[in-house]
Amino acid sequence: MGSIAERIALPKRGQRPPGDMRSSRRARARLWDRVMTGVIWGIVIFLAALLLAFVLYALIQGVSMLSLKFVFGADTSGTLVGPFLFNTFYILIASLLICVPIAVFGAVYLVEYARQGVITTVLRFATETLAGVPSIVLALFGFLVFVTNFGSGTRLGFTRIAGILTLVILNLPLMLRVCEDALRSVPRELREASAALGATKYQTIWRVMMPVALPALTTGVILTAGKMIGETAALIYTAGGSAAVNNWFSLDPRLPGATLTIYLYELHAEGVVANAAQIQNGIVALLVIILLVFNLGLRWLAGRISRRLAGATK
């Protein structure tokens, strides 16, 4: 019989602990797993409830203001809301039409064709740095480069095209990074299987990789579009604070391009309009509805495109 100290001694390194000790460790691990899972679920539910409460509050406060007269007629200040709404869609769609193809093709080149080295590393570092630049800085850049001739004279002026170009520069780094991450998330086995079946690199990219990466790409487009719709600083210095009233359905990019967020900012900053609070609530509810419809519509369209790219018949 050994001593008591020898019988209760802890196991040495490399020696398996007794069964009761292993079961105790597993019990503690399961307990911590349940605790952390509950904490994470609690945070998720809290954030989702907070977002839902904000959306419902915005809709309840402003949905009573929404009508055809509110959008296409004059509000209590004599200003049309319709031109600002049209400018919002005009600048959003035009910016996405420029930003998304450049980001997608750039990501395809970086992931599939570019030689990984110093140049690609510098390029990725530059895009990540530009993605973190405050919008007010790029707004001043757009003002100096697009609106004026580096601070003197007029180049494009306060126009829609100046706002579009500034939004593209502001959101292109983020969109490029999202597209690159989406393409890199595609399993390599799919590429190898496609190559084994005799598919070319082009066919592999557009028939195999794109359908798999499309949900992540769609999320990136939705986030970018939401950022564009809610952008104010980058547009107030480039698109201006007014909108054309007489010919606001015109597609001329040289017209002033104030959006709904700019009009909302002006109402809140000045506060001299009668019933300004009600008009602000209506604009907020309108923006929330636009975002919801845009997100749902884009996800539906992405599903159709994904099935088409994958070769589905229905």
Side-chain angles (χ1 to χ4, degrees), residues 62-141:
V63 73
S64 60
M65 293 289 297
L66 298 181
S67 62
L68 292 177
K69 182 179 180 180
F70 176 78
V71 176
F72 299 103
D75 60 22
T76 55
S77 65
T79 304
L80 292 172
V81 178
F84 300 98
L85 176 62
F86 182 80
N87 285 337
T88 300
F89 281 105
Y90 185 96
I91 292 177
L92 171 64
I93 295 174
S95 300
L96 289 178
L97 288 177
I98 298 174
C99 186
V100 173
I102 295 176
V104 171
F105 285 111
V108 169
Y109 174 77
L110 289 175
V111 173
E112 296 297 325
Y113 293 98
R115 179 178 297 177
Q116 304 302 315
V118 177
I119 297 178
T120 55
T121 302
V122 172
L123 182 59
R124 291 189 180 96
F125 176 77
T127 55
E128 291 175 358
T129 303
L130 286 175
V133 174
S135 59
I136 188 66
V137 176
L138 290 179
L140 295 176
F141 171 82

Side-chain angles (χ1 to χ4, degrees), residues 204-215 305-307 309-310:
T204 300
I205 292 173
W206 295 105
R207 290 291 185 179
V208 177
M209 295 180 61
M210 281 300 174
V212 176
L214 195 58
I305 295 175
S306 179
R307 290 191 295 271
L309 290 176

